[in-house]
Amino acid sequence: MSPLRTVWTVARREVNTRIRTRSFLISTGAILAILVGYAALMFFIGQQGATSKIGFTGQATAVATPFERTAARLGTTIESTRIPDQATGEELVADGELDGLVAGAPDSLNLIVRSAPDSGVRTALDEVVRQQALDAELAMAGLEPADVHAVLAGAHVDVRTLEPDDPQRGQRLGMAVGAGMLLYFFLIMFGQAVAQGVVEEKTSRVVEILLSTIRPTQLLAGKVLGIGLAGLAQFVLIGGIGLAAAVGSGVLVLPSAALLGTMLWALVWFLLGFYLYATVLAAAASLVSRQEDLQSVVTPVIMLLVIPFIVGLTVLPNDPESSLGAVLSLVPGFSPVLMPMRTALGVAAPWESAVAVLLSIAALAGLLRLGGRIYANAILRTGARVKLTDALRRT
């Protein structure tokens, strides 16, 4: 067979093996269930807390309209209902059909609730009571309340901003953190799967049979490619459904172009990041012959992923345009986590993304040559751990 066909045969074997395992199917289903359940919970909470149903009875009905306007200005939606008497209103509150009942005179209102009042409702009601008391004092002083309110309405502070405010910053930040965490965990999970697969084949001596017919570099390339495709399938499935659930539940209302761009860049960086780290992890795993020794060679590589993850969660949320984040996002190995986060935040220039991709491709090309040499020199050597210097020597 041709080298490309050999690599594809190995990759296809890895894909079929991975996606049919019970652990792969269970983990995929569990993550999807958590994502959909979380989105449904957020939608339910949003619907429950969207509107407060408040009843008004007696003289308090006179303040129902100003109360609705005040609550709307403060960000609370109110549905007001006229109740014939206080006793009926209290029964409706006790039964949960009303969130609260307002009774009493306009300048001394009473709010009757089942347990604890909603903070937005209470704040709006307090403001209405203060306004009623102020109007009464103005009338007693011989002043027209409407004229005083007109003067107060025209008194305000002029605000001049040096930087335009981004109303979507919170959602962009949430999407950036979500993309960064998803990439971080998937790179670790499937990168370790590559390392474990290398040691399993080395321990079972299966690799000796495989290398009797194909070259070590072809086996390495096929293994990394196959596990990467299986990881990509799970990444697309979980990321796509998670994004759809967030949009459908109203958690994300960003433009479609921003959502699609973030998803596409996340896919690009998953592929670049996975093949970069998987190559290094496969080469490192070939140095040992037991699962017990695997962590000693895998941990230093995983720590390289921890650095951008920490920077992404601690620096970028507070300062998206941080120089540290910008510089580290160009470094191969750090780019797969930091650059998609900066892209989602809208602070990564197109040239920065292009440079980061080119640098990562160049680093991957060099690591493929270096990792292939280590793998070829160490994969058939069992027993004691192979020294890195010995594995790097030309055969």
Side-chain angles (χ1 to χ4, degrees), residues 20 63 89 109 144 154 177-178 196-197 211 244 261 277 337 374:
R20 291 178 180 177
V63 301
L109 297 174
E144 182 61 40
V177 172
Q196 290 174 352
L211 292 182
Y277 278 99
V337 175
I374 296 173

Side-chain angles (χ1 to χ4, degrees), residues 21-358:
T21 59
R22 181 178 298 179
S23 59
F24 183 90
L25 298 175
I26 292 177
S27 63
T28 302
I31 295 174
L32 289 177
I34 292 173
L35 288 174
V36 174
Y38 178 77
L41 178 62
M42 292 297 101
F43 178 77
F44 176 77
I45 293 175
Q47 291 296 106
Q48 291 295 107
T51 303
S52 294
K53 192 172 182 179
I54 305 297
F56 292 84
T57 185
Q59 298 182 49
T61 56
V63 301
T65 300
F67 174 67
E68 289 181 359
R69 290 198 299 264
T70 302
R73 180 167 51 83
L74 297 176
T76 301
T77 304
I78 299 296
E79 180 184 343
S80 62
T81 305
R82 269 59 174 180
I83 306 299
D85 56 76
Q86 184 169 334
T88 302
E90 291 184 4
E91 290 180 3
L92 293 174
V93 171
D95 294 338
E97 297 184 25
L98 286 178
D99 295 314
L101 174 69
V102 180
D107 57 350
S108 59
L109 297 174
N110 297 317
L111 176 61
I112 302 169
V113 295
R114 188 174 183 178
S115 55
D118 179 81
S119 59
V121 171
R122 182 166 186 172
T123 300
L125 198 59
D126 286 340
E127 184 168 331
V128 169
V129 171
R130 286 193 293 267
Q131 191 62 57
Q132 294 291 326
L134 177 60
D135 289 349
E137 292 295 326
L138 291 173
M140 291 177 61
L143 299 175
E144 182 61 40
D147 295 338
V148 176
H149 292 322
V151 174
L152 293 176
H156 61 272
V157 175
D158 291 327
V159 178
R160 183 172 64 91
T161 59
L162 298 178
E163 297 181 359
D165 183 41
D166 184 5
Q168 299 175 336
R169 184 179 183 276
Q171 294 191 47
R172 291 182 182 275
L173 178 59
M175 188 168 59
V177 172
M181 293 182 66
L182 196 63
L183 284 164
Y184 172 75
F185 287 116
F186 266 79
L187 290 177
I188 288 182
M189 181 169 61
F190 283 94
Q192 288 185 323
V194 172
Q196 290 174 352
V198 170
V199 176
E200 287 173 1
E201 290 181 350
K202 189 173 181 179
T203 303
S204 64
R205 313 302 286 267
V206 172
V207 69
E208 296 180 6
I209 301 174
L210 294 173
L211 292 182
S212 64
T213 56
I214 62 177
R215 300 179 61 182
T217 52
Q218 295 172 346
L219 177 60
L220 174 63
K223 178 176 289 292
V224 171
L225 177 62
I227 296 178
L229 292 176
L232 179 64
Q234 191 178 50
F235 182 82
V236 171
L237 182 63
I238 291 175
I241 293 180
L243 186 62
V247 173
S249 63
V251 176
L252 281 179
V253 292
L254 291 171
S256 300
L259 296 174
L260 182 60
T262 300
M263 189 66 185
L264 291 177
W265 274 115
L267 293 177
V268 170
W269 285 114
F270 171 79
L271 291 173
L272 288 174
F274 171 78
Y275 290 119
L276 191 151
Y277 278 99
T279 301
V280 177
L281 287 169
S286 67
L287 299 174
V288 298
S289 303
R290 301 186 307 167
Q291 292 287 348
E292 294 83 357
D293 301 327
L294 183 60
Q295 287 302 318
S296 63
V297 294
V298 167
T299 300
V301 181
I302 298 300
M303 290 303 297
L304 293 176
L305 264 174
V306 175
I307 296 173
F309 181 70
I310 293 176
V311 172
L313 291 186
T314 59
V315 176
L316 292 183
N318 299 320
D319 185 10
E321 298 185 3
S322 164
S323 299
L324 176 64
V327 172
L328 291 182
S329 67
L330 298 175
V331 178
F334 294 170
S335 301
V337 175
L338 289 177
M339 189 56 75
M341 294 184 69
R342 296 185 65 236
T343 301
L345 289 169
V347 297
W351 70 266
E352 290 179 307
S353 298
V355 169
V357 168
L358 293 176

